[in-house]
């Protein structure tokens, strides 16, 4: 469920097909996201899940799975 919501946010922000967004997809390399895209994705995830992601954590995210695992961990 978390993956699907995050995938939908990424699809909307980057205008990519959802079939290319997998847990091991690298947002910068595979989806050609830039730093502004990354910030917008983080902000959308924060809003969707009602959480706050510190900048130092957000900078570590490279794979879609990194985001999913982080949200899963803090939502437990």
């Amino acid at each position: 469920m978390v993956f699907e919501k995050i995938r939908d946010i990424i699809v909307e922000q980057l205008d990519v097909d959802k079939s290319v967004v997998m847990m091991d997809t690298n947002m910068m390399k595979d989806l050609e996201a830039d730093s502004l895209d990354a910030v917008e994705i983080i902000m959308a995830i924060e809003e969707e899940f009602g959480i706050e992601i510190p900048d130092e954590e957000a900078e570590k995210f490279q794979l879609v799975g990194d985001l999913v695992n982080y949200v899963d961990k803090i939502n437990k």
Side-chain angles (χ1 to χ4, degrees):
M1 185 158 146
V2 171
F3 169 73
E4 287 83 5
K5 286 183 177 183
I6 290 177
R7 179 190 61 203
D8 291 346
I9 289 169
I10 292 169
V11 165
E12 183 178 327
Q13 292 288 334
L14 301 179
D15 194 30
V16 295
D17 189 275
K18 71 180 183 179
S19 67
V20 301
V21 181
M22 304 291 180
M23 287 289 282
D24 62 349
T25 301
N26 185 302
M27 289 180 287
M28 302 294 186
K29 294 178 184 167
D30 299 328
L31 302 179
E32 299 179 3
D34 60 24
S35 56
L36 179 60
D37 293 325
V39 169
E40 290 175 345
I41 290 167
I42 295 296
M43 289 172 50
I45 289 170
E46 289 175 329
E47 185 176 319
E48 175 70 32
F49 292 97
I51 60 174
E52 191 168 320
I53 301 173
D55 291 342
E56 58 271 8
E57 288 295 322
E59 291 170 5
K60 298 176 188 175
F61 302 140
Q62 293 186 11
L63 305 179
V64 173
D66 297 338
L67 285 164
V68 173
N69 293 333
Y70 182 84
V71 171
D72 268 342
K73 184 175 76 176
I74 63 173
N75 270 349
K76 289 192 175 186

